[in-house]
Amino acid sequence: MEPIRPGLKIRAERGEEEWLFFLIKRHGVGIQSAHQERIFELFQRASAGKSYKGTGIGLAICKKIVERHGGRIWVDSEPGKGSTFHFHNPLRTLIRQ
């Protein structure tokens, strides 16, 4: 098996109907589909073992912020292929006029 090269790509684009879309692609171990919703809950991690650092707080905070602005956050991932985190928000909540 080829070693996983860490990396991160971030992209933002303006969508239809005044929405702003963000995409964060992380090369890494990936997340099993059974854990993809749970990782956005407080103190929940994709890996219960001690192999990876983390408290399970970060993504829960991200979800709270995104939802407070009227948006949605989710992840697409496959073990061994990395993860892509998506979130979108209405522009009106992000830009003060």
Side-chain angles (χ1 to χ4, degrees), residues 27-78:
H27 302 288
V29 296
I31 302 165
Q32 294 178 358
S33 60
H35 303 295
Q36 290 178 10
E37 288 186 36
R38 185 173 62 87
I39 61 170
F40 293 102
E41 296 173 16
L42 195 57
F43 303 118
Q44 298 297 312
R45 299 175 52 210
S47 173
K50 295 185 179 187
S51 303
Y52 303 100
K53 294 180 181 180
T55 58
I57 296 175
L59 289 172
I61 292 172
C62 291
K63 180 179 179 185
K64 198 75 139 164
I65 292 168
V66 168
E67 288 179 347
R68 182 162 289 190
H69 287 281
R72 179 175 169 250
I73 187 170
W74 69 97
V75 64
D76 292 323
S77 186
E78 196 173 323

Short mmCIF file of all heavy atoms in Angstrom, two decimals, residues 27-78:
data_model
loop_
_atom_site.label_atom_id
_atom_site.label_comp_id
_atom_site.label_asym_id
_atom_site.label_seq_id
_atom_site.Cartn_x
_atom_site.Cartn_y
_atom_site.Cartn_z
N HIS A 27 -6.36 15.26 2.33
CA HIS A 27 -5.82 13.95 2.02
C HIS A 27 -5.46 13.30 3.35
O HIS A 27 -4.88 13.92 4.21
CB HIS A 27 -4.56 14.07 1.15
CG HIS A 27 -4.82 14.80 -0.12
ND1 HIS A 27 -5.54 14.25 -1.15
CD2 HIS A 27 -4.49 16.04 -0.52
CE1 HIS A 27 -5.62 15.12 -2.14
NE2 HIS A 27 -5.00 16.23 -1.77
N GLY A 28 -5.84 12.08 3.52
CA GLY A 28 -5.56 11.40 4.78
C GLY A 28 -6.20 10.03 4.79
O GLY A 28 -6.47 9.44 3.75
N VAL A 29 -6.48 9.55 6.00
CA VAL A 29 -6.98 8.19 6.16
C VAL A 29 -8.44 8.03 5.78
O VAL A 29 -8.90 6.93 5.53
CB VAL A 29 -6.76 7.69 7.61
CG1 VAL A 29 -5.29 7.61 7.91
CG2 VAL A 29 -7.47 8.57 8.61
N GLY A 30 -9.20 9.13 5.77
CA GLY A 30 -10.62 9.03 5.44
C GLY A 30 -11.47 8.65 6.64
O GLY A 30 -10.95 8.35 7.71
N ILE A 31 -12.78 8.66 6.45
CA ILE A 31 -13.73 8.38 7.52
C ILE A 31 -14.75 7.37 7.01
O ILE A 31 -15.35 7.57 5.95
CB ILE A 31 -14.46 9.67 7.96
CG1 ILE A 31 -13.43 10.72 8.40
CG2 ILE A 31 -15.47 9.39 9.06
CD1 ILE A 31 -13.99 12.12 8.50
N GLN A 32 -14.97 6.33 7.76
CA GLN A 32 -15.96 5.33 7.38
C GLN A 32 -17.35 5.96 7.36
O GLN A 32 -17.66 6.84 8.16
CB GLN A 32 -15.95 4.16 8.35
CG GLN A 32 -14.67 3.36 8.32
CD GLN A 32 -14.69 2.24 9.33
OE1 GLN A 32 -15.63 2.07 10.09
NE2 GLN A 32 -13.62 1.46 9.35
N SER A 33 -18.20 5.50 6.45
CA SER A 33 -19.54 6.09 6.30
C SER A 33 -20.35 6.01 7.60
O SER A 33 -21.15 6.89 7.88
CB SER A 33 -20.29 5.44 5.15
OG SER A 33 -20.44 4.06 5.37
N ALA A 34 -20.13 5.00 8.39
CA ALA A 34 -20.87 4.84 9.65
C ALA A 34 -20.56 5.97 10.65
O ALA A 34 -21.35 6.21 11.56
CB ALA A 34 -20.53 3.49 10.29
N HIS A 35 -19.45 6.65 10.48
CA HIS A 35 -19.04 7.70 11.42
C HIS A 35 -19.23 9.11 10.86
O HIS A 35 -18.98 10.09 11.54
CB HIS A 35 -17.58 7.53 11.81
CG HIS A 35 -17.27 6.21 12.41
ND1 HIS A 35 -17.79 5.80 13.61
CD2 HIS A 35 -16.50 5.19 11.97
CE1 HIS A 35 -17.35 4.58 13.89
NE2 HIS A 35 -16.57 4.19 12.91
N GLN A 36 -19.67 9.25 9.63
CA GLN A 36 -19.68 10.56 8.98
C GLN A 36 -20.66 11.56 9.57
O GLN A 36 -20.43 12.75 9.49
CB GLN A 36 -19.88 10.40 7.47
CG GLN A 36 -18.66 9.78 6.82
CD GLN A 36 -18.82 9.57 5.34
OE1 GLN A 36 -19.77 10.04 4.72
NE2 GLN A 36 -17.88 8.85 4.75
N GLU A 37 -21.74 11.13 10.16
CA GLU A 37 -22.65 12.07 10.82
C GLU A 37 -22.23 12.30 12.26
O GLU A 37 -22.31 13.41 12.78
CB GLU A 37 -24.08 11.55 10.76
CG GLU A 37 -24.68 11.65 9.36
CD GLU A 37 -26.14 11.27 9.35
OE1 GLU A 37 -26.85 11.60 10.33
OE2 GLU A 37 -26.58 10.67 8.36
N ARG A 38 -21.74 11.25 12.89
CA ARG A 38 -21.37 11.30 14.31
C ARG A 38 -20.22 12.26 14.59
O ARG A 38 -20.16 12.87 15.65
CB ARG A 38 -20.99 9.88 14.77
CG ARG A 38 -20.69 9.76 16.23
CD ARG A 38 -20.50 8.31 16.61
NE ARG A 38 -19.37 7.69 15.95
CZ ARG A 38 -18.13 7.73 16.40
NH1 ARG A 38 -17.85 8.36 17.52
NH2 ARG A 38 -17.15 7.13 15.75
N ILE A 39 -19.32 12.45 13.63
CA ILE A 39 -18.14 13.29 13.89
C ILE A 39 -18.49 14.76 14.11
O ILE A 39 -17.67 15.52 14.60
CB ILE A 39 -17.09 13.17 12.75
CG1 ILE A 39 -17.68 13.64 11.42
CG2 ILE A 39 -16.53 11.77 12.69
CD1 ILE A 39 -16.65 13.77 10.32
N PHE A 40 -19.72 15.16 13.78
CA PHE A 40 -20.16 16.54 14.00
C PHE A 40 -20.83 16.72 15.36
O PHE A 40 -21.30 17.80 15.68
CB PHE A 40 -21.09 16.98 12.87
CG PHE A 40 -20.39 17.08 11.54
CD1 PHE A 40 -20.54 16.08 10.59
CD2 PHE A 40 -19.57 18.15 11.25
CE1 PHE A 40 -19.89 16.16 9.37
CE2 PHE A 40 -18.90 18.24 10.03
CZ PHE A 40 -19.07 17.24 9.09
N GLU A 41 -20.87 15.66 16.16
CA GLU A 41 -21.43 15.73 17.51
C GLU A 41 -20.31 15.98 18.51
O GLU A 41 -19.18 15.52 18.32
CB GLU A 41 -22.17 14.43 17.84
CG GLU A 41 -23.37 14.18 16.96
CD GLU A 41 -23.99 12.81 17.20
OE1 GLU A 41 -23.69 12.19 18.25
OE2 GLU A 41 -24.75 12.36 16.34
N LEU A 42 -20.63 16.68 19.59
CA LEU A 42 -19.65 17.05 20.60
C LEU A 42 -18.99 15.83 21.22
O LEU A 42 -19.67 14.87 21.60
CB LEU A 42 -20.33 17.90 21.68
CG LEU A 42 -19.44 18.68 22.62
CD1 LEU A 42 -18.51 19.62 21.85
CD2 LEU A 42 -20.28 19.47 23.60
N PHE A 43 -17.68 15.86 21.30
CA PHE A 43 -16.82 14.81 21.88
C PHE A 43 -16.86 13.48 21.14
O PHE A 43 -16.53 12.44 21.69
CB PHE A 43 -17.15 14.59 23.37
CG PHE A 43 -17.01 15.83 24.20
CD1 PHE A 43 -18.09 16.36 24.87
CD2 PHE A 43 -15.79 16.48 24.31
CE1 PHE A 43 -17.97 17.51 25.63
CE2 PHE A 43 -15.66 17.64 25.06
CZ PHE A 43 -16.75 18.15 25.74
N GLN A 44 -17.23 13.51 19.87
CA GLN A 44 -17.24 12.30 19.06
C GLN A 44 -16.11 12.38 18.03
O GLN A 44 -15.90 13.42 17.42
CB GLN A 44 -18.58 12.13 18.34
CG GLN A 44 -19.74 11.96 19.27
CD GLN A 44 -19.63 10.71 20.12
OE1 GLN A 44 -19.35 9.63 19.62
NE2 GLN A 44 -19.83 10.85 21.41
N ARG A 45 -15.43 11.28 17.85
CA ARG A 45 -14.32 11.22 16.90
C ARG A 45 -14.55 10.07 15.93
O ARG A 45 -15.24 9.11 16.25
CB ARG A 45 -13.01 11.01 17.66
CG ARG A 45 -12.71 12.15 18.62
CD ARG A 45 -11.48 11.88 19.45
NE ARG A 45 -10.37 11.53 18.58
CZ ARG A 45 -9.39 10.72 18.97
NH1 ARG A 45 -9.41 10.16 20.15
NH2 ARG A 45 -8.40 10.44 18.14
N ALA A 46 -13.93 10.17 14.77
CA ALA A 46 -14.06 9.11 13.77
C ALA A 46 -13.35 7.86 14.25
O ALA A 46 -13.79 6.74 14.00
CB ALA A 46 -13.49 9.56 12.43
N SER A 47 -12.25 8.04 14.97
CA SER A 47 -11.48 6.90 15.45
C SER A 47 -11.49 6.91 16.97
O SER A 47 -11.05 7.88 17.60
CB SER A 47 -10.03 7.01 14.95
OG SER A 47 -9.23 6.02 15.55
N ALA A 48 -12.00 5.85 17.56
CA ALA A 48 -12.07 5.77 19.02
C ALA A 48 -10.71 5.47 19.63
O ALA A 48 -10.49 5.71 20.80
CB ALA A 48 -13.08 4.70 19.43
N GLY A 49 -9.79 4.96 18.85
CA GLY A 49 -8.47 4.63 19.35
C GLY A 49 -7.62 5.86 19.61
O GLY A 49 -8.03 6.98 19.38
N LYS A 50 -6.42 5.63 20.09
CA LYS A 50 -5.53 6.74 20.40
C LYS A 50 -4.54 6.99 19.26
O LYS A 50 -3.54 7.67 19.44
CB LYS A 50 -4.79 6.45 21.69
CG LYS A 50 -5.73 6.39 22.89
CD LYS A 50 -4.98 6.22 24.17
CE LYS A 50 -5.98 6.19 25.32
NZ LYS A 50 -5.35 6.20 26.61
N SER A 51 -4.83 6.49 18.07
CA SER A 51 -3.94 6.65 16.93
C SER A 51 -3.84 8.10 16.46
O SER A 51 -2.82 8.52 15.95
CB SER A 51 -4.44 5.81 15.75
OG SER A 51 -4.54 4.47 16.12
N TYR A 52 -4.90 8.86 16.64
CA TYR A 52 -4.95 10.24 16.16
C TYR A 52 -5.33 11.17 17.30
O TYR A 52 -6.18 10.85 18.11
CB TYR A 52 -5.96 10.37 15.02
CG TYR A 52 -5.66 9.43 13.88
CD1 TYR A 52 -6.37 8.25 13.74
CD2 TYR A 52 -4.65 9.72 12.98
CE1 TYR A 52 -6.08 7.36 12.71
CE2 TYR A 52 -4.35 8.84 11.95
CZ TYR A 52 -5.07 7.67 11.83
OH TYR A 52 -4.77 6.80 10.82
N LYS A 53 -4.71 12.33 17.31
CA LYS A 53 -5.00 13.31 18.35
C LYS A 53 -6.34 13.97 18.08
O LYS A 53 -6.80 14.02 16.96
CB LYS A 53 -3.91 14.39 18.36
CG LYS A 53 -2.56 13.87 18.79
CD LYS A 53 -1.55 14.99 18.78
CE LYS A 53 -0.20 14.46 19.19
NZ LYS A 53 0.82 15.51 19.21
N GLY A 54 -6.93 14.51 19.12
CA GLY A 54 -8.18 15.25 18.97
C GLY A 54 -9.11 14.98 20.13
O GLY A 54 -9.02 13.95 20.80
N THR A 55 -10.00 15.94 20.35
CA THR A 55 -10.94 15.83 21.46
C THR A 55 -12.37 15.60 20.99
O THR A 55 -13.25 15.31 21.79
CB THR A 55 -10.93 17.12 22.30
OG1 THR A 55 -11.26 18.21 21.45
CG2 THR A 55 -9.57 17.34 22.95
N GLY A 56 -12.62 15.80 19.69
CA GLY A 56 -13.98 15.67 19.19
C GLY A 56 -14.80 16.94 19.38
O GLY A 56 -16.02 16.90 19.39
N ILE A 57 -14.12 18.07 19.51
CA ILE A 57 -14.81 19.34 19.71
C ILE A 57 -14.85 20.17 18.42
O ILE A 57 -15.84 20.83 18.13
CB ILE A 57 -14.15 20.15 20.83
CG1 ILE A 57 -14.29 19.42 22.16
CG2 ILE A 57 -14.74 21.55 20.92
CD1 ILE A 57 -13.56 20.07 23.31
N GLY A 58 -13.80 20.14 17.63
CA GLY A 58 -13.64 21.01 16.47
C GLY A 58 -14.77 20.99 15.47
O GLY A 58 -15.33 22.04 15.12
N LEU A 59 -15.15 19.83 15.00
CA LEU A 59 -16.22 19.75 13.99
C LEU A 59 -17.59 20.08 14.58
O LEU A 59 -18.45 20.61 13.89
CB LEU A 59 -16.23 18.38 13.32
CG LEU A 59 -15.06 18.13 12.38
CD1 LEU A 59 -15.04 16.67 11.92
CD2 LEU A 59 -15.09 19.07 11.19
N ALA A 60 -17.77 19.81 15.87
CA ALA A 60 -19.03 20.18 16.53
C ALA A 60 -19.17 21.70 16.57
O ALA A 60 -20.25 22.25 16.34
CB ALA A 60 -19.09 19.59 17.93
N ILE A 61 -18.07 22.40 16.83
CA ILE A 61 -18.08 23.86 16.83
C ILE A 61 -18.34 24.38 15.42
O ILE A 61 -19.13 25.31 15.23
CB ILE A 61 -16.77 24.42 17.40
CG1 ILE A 61 -16.68 24.11 18.90
CG2 ILE A 61 -16.65 25.92 17.15
CD1 ILE A 61 -15.35 24.43 19.53
N CYS A 62 -17.69 23.79 14.43
CA CYS A 62 -17.92 24.18 13.03
C CYS A 62 -19.39 24.05 12.68
O CYS A 62 -19.97 24.95 12.07
CB CYS A 62 -17.09 23.33 12.08
SG CYS A 62 -15.32 23.63 12.18
N LYS A 63 -19.99 22.95 13.06
CA LYS A 63 -21.42 22.72 12.75
C LYS A 63 -22.29 23.78 13.40
O LYS A 63 -23.20 24.33 12.79
CB LYS A 63 -21.83 21.33 13.22
CG LYS A 63 -23.29 21.03 12.93
CD LYS A 63 -23.68 19.64 13.38
CE LYS A 63 -25.16 19.42 13.08
NZ LYS A 63 -25.64 18.16 13.58
N LYS A 64 -22.00 24.11 14.66
CA LYS A 64 -22.77 25.11 15.38
C LYS A 64 -22.69 26.47 14.69
O LYS A 64 -23.69 27.16 14.52
CB LYS A 64 -22.22 25.20 16.81
CG LYS A 64 -23.12 25.83 17.80
CD LYS A 64 -24.20 24.89 18.17
CE LYS A 64 -24.48 24.93 19.63
NZ LYS A 64 -25.74 24.30 19.93
N ILE A 65 -21.49 26.86 14.26
CA ILE A 65 -21.30 28.15 13.59
C ILE A 65 -22.03 28.18 12.25
O ILE A 65 -22.76 29.14 11.93
CB ILE A 65 -19.80 28.45 13.39
CG1 ILE A 65 -19.14 28.69 14.74
CG2 ILE A 65 -19.59 29.63 12.45
CD1 ILE A 65 -17.62 28.70 14.70
N VAL A 66 -21.85 27.13 11.45
CA VAL A 66 -22.49 27.07 10.13
C VAL A 66 -24.01 27.11 10.26
O VAL A 66 -24.68 27.87 9.56
CB VAL A 66 -22.02 25.82 9.35
CG1 VAL A 66 -22.86 25.58 8.12
CG2 VAL A 66 -20.55 25.94 8.97
N GLU A 67 -24.56 26.33 11.17
CA GLU A 67 -26.01 26.29 11.34
C GLU A 67 -26.55 27.61 11.90
O GLU A 67 -27.64 28.04 11.54
CB GLU A 67 -26.41 25.12 12.23
CG GLU A 67 -26.25 23.79 11.52
CD GLU A 67 -26.60 22.59 12.36
OE1 GLU A 67 -26.75 22.73 13.61
OE2 GLU A 67 -26.72 21.49 11.79
N ARG A 68 -25.78 28.27 12.74
CA ARG A 68 -26.22 29.56 13.30
C ARG A 68 -26.38 30.61 12.20
O ARG A 68 -27.17 31.52 12.30
CB ARG A 68 -25.23 30.05 14.35
CG ARG A 68 -25.67 31.36 14.97
CD ARG A 68 -24.99 31.62 16.24
NE ARG A 68 -25.52 30.69 17.23
CZ ARG A 68 -25.25 30.78 18.52
NH1 ARG A 68 -24.49 31.74 18.96
NH2 ARG A 68 -25.74 29.91 19.36
N HIS A 69 -25.61 30.45 11.12
CA HIS A 69 -25.69 31.36 9.98
C HIS A 69 -26.66 30.86 8.90
O HIS A 69 -26.68 31.37 7.79
CB HIS A 69 -24.31 31.58 9.37
CG HIS A 69 -23.42 32.43 10.22
ND1 HIS A 69 -23.53 33.80 10.26
CD2 HIS A 69 -22.44 32.10 11.09
CE1 HIS A 69 -22.64 34.28 11.11
NE2 HIS A 69 -21.97 33.27 11.63
N GLY A 70 -27.42 29.81 9.22
CA GLY A 70 -28.44 29.33 8.30
C GLY A 70 -27.92 28.35 7.26
O GLY A 70 -28.57 28.11 6.25
N GLY A 71 -26.76 27.77 7.50
CA GLY A 71 -26.16 26.87 6.52
C GLY A 71 -26.19 25.41 6.92
O GLY A 71 -26.85 25.01 7.88
N ARG A 72 -25.42 24.64 6.21
CA ARG A 72 -25.35 23.18 6.41
C ARG A 72 -23.91 22.73 6.20
O ARG A 72 -23.20 23.28 5.35
CB ARG A 72 -26.26 22.51 5.39
CG ARG A 72 -26.26 21.01 5.47
CD ARG A 72 -27.29 20.41 4.50
NE ARG A 72 -27.06 18.98 4.43
CZ ARG A 72 -26.58 18.35 3.37
NH1 ARG A 72 -26.31 19.00 2.26
NH2 ARG A 72 -26.39 17.05 3.39
N ILE A 73 -23.47 21.73 6.95
CA ILE A 73 -22.12 21.18 6.83
C ILE A 73 -22.23 19.66 6.72
O ILE A 73 -23.10 19.05 7.35
CB ILE A 73 -21.23 21.60 8.03
CG1 ILE A 73 -19.78 21.17 7.82
CG2 ILE A 73 -21.78 21.08 9.34
CD1 ILE A 73 -18.81 21.76 8.82
N TRP A 74 -21.35 19.06 5.90
CA TRP A 74 -21.33 17.60 5.76
C TRP A 74 -19.97 17.17 5.24
O TRP A 74 -19.15 17.99 4.84
CB TRP A 74 -22.46 17.11 4.87
CG TRP A 74 -22.33 17.47 3.42
CD1 TRP A 74 -21.82 16.67 2.41
CD2 TRP A 74 -22.70 18.70 2.79
NE1 TRP A 74 -21.87 17.34 1.21
CE2 TRP A 74 -22.41 18.59 1.42
CE3 TRP A 74 -23.25 19.89 3.25
CZ2 TRP A 74 -22.65 19.62 0.51
CZ3 TRP A 74 -23.48 20.91 2.35
CH2 TRP A 74 -23.19 20.76 1.00
N VAL A 75 -19.74 15.87 5.24
CA VAL A 75 -18.48 15.32 4.76
C VAL A 75 -18.74 14.19 3.77
O VAL A 75 -19.68 13.42 3.92
CB VAL A 75 -17.59 14.81 5.93
CG1 VAL A 75 -18.23 13.64 6.66
CG2 VAL A 75 -16.19 14.43 5.46
N ASP A 76 -17.90 14.13 2.74
CA ASP A 76 -17.83 12.99 1.83
C ASP A 76 -16.47 12.37 2.07
O ASP A 76 -15.45 13.08 2.04
CB ASP A 76 -17.92 13.43 0.36
CG ASP A 76 -19.29 13.98 0.01
OD1 ASP A 76 -20.29 13.46 0.54
OD2 ASP A 76 -19.35 14.92 -0.79
N SER A 77 -16.43 11.08 2.33
CA SER A 77 -15.15 10.46 2.64
C SER A 77 -15.18 8.97 2.34
O SER A 77 -16.24 8.35 2.31
CB SER A 77 -14.84 10.66 4.13
OG SER A 77 -13.55 10.19 4.42
N GLU A 78 -13.99 8.47 2.13
CA GLU A 78 -13.82 7.04 1.90
C GLU A 78 -12.51 6.64 2.55
O GLU A 78 -11.48 7.30 2.35
CB GLU A 78 -13.75 6.79 0.39
CG GLU A 78 -13.96 5.36 0.01
CD GLU A 78 -14.05 5.20 -1.50
OE1 GLU A 78 -14.62 6.08 -2.17
OE2 GLU A 78 -13.51 4.20 -1.98
#
